[in-house]
Amino acid sequence: MGITPRTKNNRSRLLAVGSGLAAFTLMLTGCSAGGGGASSVADDCEPVAEVETMTEGKLTALVVEHPPFITTEGNTLSGVEGELLNHIAAQLCLEMDYQVTSFAGAIEGLQNNRADLSSSNWTVNDERRDLFEVSEPMYQSTMGIVTKGEDWNTVEDLADKKIGTPQGYLWNEQLYDVFGDNVTEYQSDVAVIDDIKAGRIDVGIVNNHANSWRLTQDQYSELSLTTMEPSDQLPHTQQEALAVVLVEKGNVELKDGVNIALTDFIDSGEFQSQFEAYGLDPQWIYSPEG
């Protein structure tokens, strides 16, 4: 797994390379949930909303292999958000068509109109609201700290430590501001925690939900996960970090259709069932009532 250190002078042009492929490689794998051939959508299907998509009859999504949120195998899209995407497509009477890429590739591809939407544990900020249409919130996404058995959970604890974090997280710029060249970006959460296990870095700053699930696996039994304490130095820890579906800019009708399907997925209890199936705490599912 390739990693690329990044300093303040080259932040905006990061190109992390792994297995000989640039991070901005867009469509590494493309699959249709119907498996090709005849459409999987019933002739009498009635959509919950009338929408236009990039390809008639299909919902094209850019996804990142990121268990337990997105998992792909063959023509099957699963995981917490993978099942949500399947539900959205079904509710809109569209065939699910997904392409697997990197975090950077998903953002770049959606900006350049190569897909209708993306759902891969994306948190939202003002910049992403400017770049995309943004769904209603799905769940809260917290900052976790992975170590070899340490109970570090503050900025002070991490001073002078070698830190790894995955590409694509909104907190990365803040980490560079606080910890400087001690921070290295990786292509995935797995690459981060593998390097902690190997002793190449001291700590990983990762998504708490994804890695509470991942650290239940036997090969990571020596690692532990804590939650970062709120700090003035890391504004990300002081605000509600909400995960959303990103929709192509300007396609407001599709965003509205996504929200209808998302509300149904939550209200029916299916989202809670998915959280529980992957050992995630359903209390983090977003509720407007708090």
Side-chain angles (χ1 to χ4, degrees):
M1 177 61 67
I3 59 175
T4 301
R6 189 177 69 157
T7 65
K8 291 184 178 181
N9 291 332
N10 66 355
R11 289 183 193 178
S12 63
R13 302 301 300 169
L14 172 65
L15 291 174
V17 177
S19 303
L21 295 177
F24 288 115
T25 297
L26 179 59
M27 295 180 183
L28 304 183
T29 304
C31 292
S32 176
S39 172
S40 59
V41 179
D43 291 339
D44 60 352
C45 184
E46 296 187 7
V48 298
E50 295 293 338
V51 302
E52 291 188 5
T53 57
M54 186 178 69
T55 301
E56 185 176 357
K58 292 187 177 184
L59 182 66
T60 303
L62 291 173
V63 300
V64 181
E65 188 78 26
H66 186 41
F69 301 106
I70 294 288
T71 302
T72 60
E73 185 175 356
N75 292 330
T76 302
L77 183 61
S78 61
V80 173
E81 294 181 44
E83 295 296 347
L84 170 63
L85 287 174
N86 291 333
H87 182 74
I88 292 170
Q91 291 278 290
L92 295 175
C93 299
L94 298 170
E95 188 174 355
M96 186 71 246
D97 184 24
Y98 67 86
Q99 290 130 14
V100 182
T101 182
S102 64
F103 286 111
I107 291 292
E108 189 265 349
L110 197 56
Q111 281 183 267
N112 287 281
N113 307 316
R114 296 191 181 112
D116 299 307
L117 51 73
S118 179
S119 188
S120 292
N121 186 223
W122 298 115
T123 48
V124 66
N125 63 358
D126 289 341
E127 181 181 5
R128 286 181 179 167
R129 289 188 182 94
D130 288 339
L131 292 173
F132 309 108
E133 305 299 332
V134 173
S135 77
E136 295 297 325
M138 298 185 288
Y139 56 86
Q140 293 187 48
S141 184
T142 57
M143 182 186 289
I145 299 174
V146 178
T147 63
K148 264 190 176 179
E150 305 290 347
D151 60 356
W152 301 333
N153 62 359
T154 68
V155 168
E156 291 72 24
D157 288 336
L158 304 188
D160 301 322
K161 304 295 190 301
K162 292 181 180 178
I163 299 170
T165 194
Q167 296 174 342
Y169 282 105
L170 297 179
W171 61 58
N172 289 5
E173 292 295 326
Q174 296 174 23
L175 295 182
Y176 281 105
D177 289 341
V178 176
F179 301 111
D181 292 342
N182 287 336
V183 178
T184 298
E185 285 191 38
Y186 289 71
Q187 289 181 299
S188 68
D189 294 57
V190 172
V192 172
I193 64 175
D194 281 347
D195 264 14
I196 297 165
K197 181 180 177 181
R200 286 186 283 268
I201 57 176
D202 302 309
V203 58
I205 297 181
V206 296
N207 177 271
N208 218 332
H209 297 320
N211 294 283
S212 63
W213 167 83
R214 187 166 285 114
L215 264 59
T216 63
Q217 300 175 31
D218 290 343
Q219 67 264 39
Y220 299 126
S221 59
E222 63 187 304
L223 305 184
S224 60
L225 176 68
T226 57
T227 299
M228 177 73 84
E229 288 293 315
S231 168
D232 291 341
Q233 297 180 74
L234 294 174
H236 188 92
T237 63
Q238 296 187 305
Q239 58 194 21
E240 207 173 33
L242 298 173
V244 298
V245 178
L246 301 178
V247 178
E248 180 189 12
K249 189 69 175 177
N251 198 339
V252 177
E253 291 79 10
L254 179 56
K255 178 195 71 174
D256 292 343
V258 166
N259 284 336
I260 293 170
L262 172 59
T263 298
D264 180 72
F265 202 63
I266 294 174
D267 290 350
S268 68
E270 183 58 31
F271 212 7
Q272 177 169 330
S273 296
Q274 290 296 324
F275 262 60
E276 291 172 344
Y278 289 98
L280 306 179
D281 192 338
Q283 71 165 320
W284 298 113
I285 296 174
Y286 181 76
S287 170
E289 291 78 28

